[in-house]
Amino acid sequence: MASLTARFLTPPLSHTAPSSSARPRTRLFAGPPKVAQPVDAGRLEPRVEERDGYYVLKEKFRQGINPSEKVKIEREPMKLFMENGIEELAKLSMEEIDKEKSSKDDIDVRLKWLGLFHRRKHHYGRFMMRLKLPNGVTTSAQTRYLASVIKKYGKDGCADVTTRQNWQIRGVELRDVPEILKGLAEVGLTCLQSGMDNVRNPVGNPLAGIDPDEIVDTRPYTNLLSQFITSNFRGNPDLTNLPRKWNVCVVGSHDLYEHPHINDLAYMPAMRDGRFGFNLLVGGFFSPKRCAEAVPLDAWVPADDVVPLCKAVLETYRDLGFRGNRQKTRMMWLIDELGIEGFRSEVVKRMPHQWLERESSEDLIKKQWERRDYFGVHPQKQEGFQLRRSSHSCWSCPRR
């Protein structure tokens, strides 16, 4: 897939001093990852190859792979969407589906590539559907449509607001999925590539566009990333066979509401020679077995290169990531193995011009910033309006 590029103007920078509070100060990252051992050149051979428009694991790298990888090899999950496999699957009863291992794996595993999670143990025959909602922005028309979907399921239907600024709807029946997918597209939504070994919802500043102290409005960047990741809702098979899930955020606040330290890739606003762009953190994640804070990639990209950089990092992870024990398949494990310079070199190879500038010293995030509590009523950047923030929503209204 060709690289995408967009041009952004340098944002106006705020110099407003933070209000005094007792809250913790902003933390950017912890120490460096583990020191890597020298890597054999053969280890840098990509483990996947393109076949018929999809990326598959090469036969020589299939020894010791985990069960999820075997399911992907047996049948390409994205065919359920890109080749309309969901239409035929939705016509089958649950009894018919459970008779065959392949169709059972379809509803329990492969449908997660369409954002559908079967609740086999606790709600057999019902699905949770996770959407893609970059930066958590939703319209009234979109919200009404989601409400109409869950309303038909009565007490079995409900919706969640997630910690990654996203919607999840529950109670969905398989037979309704093709129609729901069409309805989502009509209101500008998608649930594609939101589960399993895919990129999760791009996160940005929850106060984007209205915070008087924001560094940059993150919405254009999270939208661009989401469009790239799903190829504008058409499906992007270049990025759907990752070793594990992968998180990305764009930071626009001094408060780090976006939690860059737990994202696989975090864009940290910084200037270089009068140009606006981002320093980069990589590898952050947490799990029951390990918690790792993101570390500096020692790289800066101009705003125009947000997508090419994301593409290069994802392709590095896709090509070289470990596919054995799923507790050791997140991107930080690859960084540990290659070392941060080795990982960076692989990213550089996959950049459009095989070039990546070193980190900028002109960081725009104030390290001594006192993290604000954004619940309640606060002034916003638009004159005559104030921000009202509750635990799950944010809106503005005229001052009274």
Side-chain angles (χ1 to χ4, degrees):
M1 175 171 291
S3 299
L4 302 180
T5 302
R7 297 198 174 277
F8 296 94
L9 297 176
T10 301
L13 305 181
S14 171
H15 299 284
T16 305
S19 59
S20 175
S21 77
R23 294 182 181 83
R25 290 177 175 174
T26 292
R27 295 179 63 218
L28 296 184
F29 51 81
K34 300 175 183 177
V35 176
Q37 299 299 315
V39 176
D40 184 85
R43 175 63 182 88
L44 302 180
E45 177 187 348
R47 300 186 173 196
V48 296
E49 60 186 358
E50 187 178 0
R51 294 183 191 171
D52 302 322
Y54 301 96
Y55 277 84
V56 298
L57 190 62
K58 297 175 182 176
E59 283 83 355
K60 64 194 290 187
F61 295 117
R62 294 182 182 181
Q63 185 174 358
I65 59 175
N66 60 62
S68 297
E69 292 296 330
K70 295 177 182 177
V71 170
K72 290 189 281 187
I73 290 169
E74 289 166 1
R75 182 184 295 171
E76 168 57 49
M78 284 298 288
K79 289 184 177 180
L80 286 169
F81 179 81
M82 300 187 73
E83 300 182 20
N84 294 319
I86 185 61
E87 298 281 350
E88 295 303 315
L89 188 64
K91 294 175 183 177
L92 302 178
S93 67
M94 293 301 295
E95 291 74 19
E96 291 174 303
I97 288 171
D98 278 350
K99 287 179 182 179
E100 299 287 339
K101 179 184 182 300
S102 60
S103 56
K104 186 177 178 182
D105 285 342
D106 279 344
I107 68 164
D108 288 344
V109 183
R110 297 186 189 96
L111 275 181
K112 293 177 182 179
W113 271 254
L114 277 67
L116 287 158
F117 295 71
H118 184 212
R119 319 313 289 173
R120 178 175 289 276
K121 290 184 178 180
H122 303 294
H123 212 166
Y124 179 78
R126 299 279 183 164
F127 292 78
M128 180 271 283
M129 176 181 280
R130 179 184 295 152
L131 304 183
K132 275 272 205 287
L133 201 69
N135 220 116
V137 178
T138 184
T139 67
S140 58
Q142 291 169 342
T143 307
R144 288 191 186 98
Y145 174 70
L146 296 177
S148 72
V149 171
I150 61 177
K151 183 178 180 180
K152 68 178 291 186
Y153 299 124
K155 62 182 178 61
D156 292 318
C158 66
D160 307 323
V161 177
T162 79
T163 55
R164 291 200 67 82
Q165 302 178 322
N166 206 357
W167 282 116
Q168 292 178 168
I169 59 175
R170 296 179 181 271
V172 174
E173 293 184 330
L174 183 61
R175 64 187 179 187
D176 298 327
V177 168
E179 193 63 32
I180 294 173
L181 293 177
K182 293 175 185 175
L184 289 175
E186 289 173 359
V187 296
L189 290 173
T190 186
C191 57
L192 193 59
Q193 296 171 229
S194 59
M196 277 299 282
D197 302 337
N198 285 283
V199 181
R200 295 300 193 264
N201 192 49
V203 166
N205 181 8
L207 307 181
I210 55 179
D211 179 7
D213 293 318
E214 74 176 359
I215 304 167
V216 61
D217 187 341
T218 56
R219 293 172 296 178
Y221 302 98
T222 54
N223 283 333
L224 193 65
L225 287 168
S226 192
Q227 290 161 10
F228 160 66
I229 290 160
T230 64
S231 191
N232 292 311
F233 300 179
R234 296 189 301 269
N236 187 349
D238 288 0
L239 305 177
T240 56
N241 190 2
L242 302 178
R244 200 69 161 80
K245 69 178 181 179
W246 193 88
N247 293 324
V248 60
C249 75
V250 181
V251 172
S253 70
H254 299 288
D255 309 87
L256 303 189
Y257 294 137
E258 308 83 359
H259 299 295
H261 50 288
I262 57 171
N263 278 265
D264 293 278
L265 174 61
Y267 293 87
M268 313 292 285
M271 301 294 292
R272 181 187 289 278
D273 301 327
R275 294 180 297 159
F276 176 74
F278 298 92
N279 287 330
L280 304 162
L281 303 182
V282 292
F285 81 101
F286 63 92
S287 72
K289 297 294 184 180
R290 180 186 178 188
C291 298
E293 284 198 62
V295 297
L297 184 61
D298 190 13
W300 177 91
V301 292
D304 294 355
D305 286 344
V306 163
V307 166
L309 183 281
C310 180
K311 180 175 183 287
V313 173
L314 279 169
E315 288 179 351
T316 300
Y317 180 43
R318 178 199 67 193
D319 293 350
L320 303 176
F322 182 60
R323 295 174 184 260
N325 180 350
R326 284 186 62 91
Q327 293 296 332
K328 297 183 178 182
T329 54
R330 293 296 295 271
M331 195 173 76
M332 182 59 94
W333 293 94
L334 176 62
I335 295 170
D336 286 344
E337 183 184 0
L338 301 184
I340 193 64
E341 275 300 314
F343 180 81
R344 188 186 189 280
S345 295
E346 292 301 312
V347 173
V348 170
K349 290 178 186 177
R350 293 163 174 82
M351 289 293 288
H353 303 291
Q354 289 76 55
W355 171 254
L356 193 56
E357 295 186 69
R358 291 290 176 174
E359 183 173 274
S360 171
S361 61
E362 300 176 60
D363 184 8
L364 295 177
I365 299 171
K366 297 178 180 178
K367 295 180 176 61
Q368 300 303 313
W369 185 266
E370 300 284 351
R371 196 173 196 267
R372 299 167 296 168
D373 185 346
Y374 56 73
F375 294 148
V377 180
H378 307 280
Q380 68 182 63
K381 68 192 309 181
Q382 290 79 11
E383 186 177 354
F385 286 81
Q386 54 192 0
L387 169 68
R388 296 189 180 186
R389 178 84 190 187
S390 63
S391 59
H392 286 315
S393 61
C394 175
W395 67 96
S396 62
C397 61
R399 282 201 186 98
R400 302 190 178 194

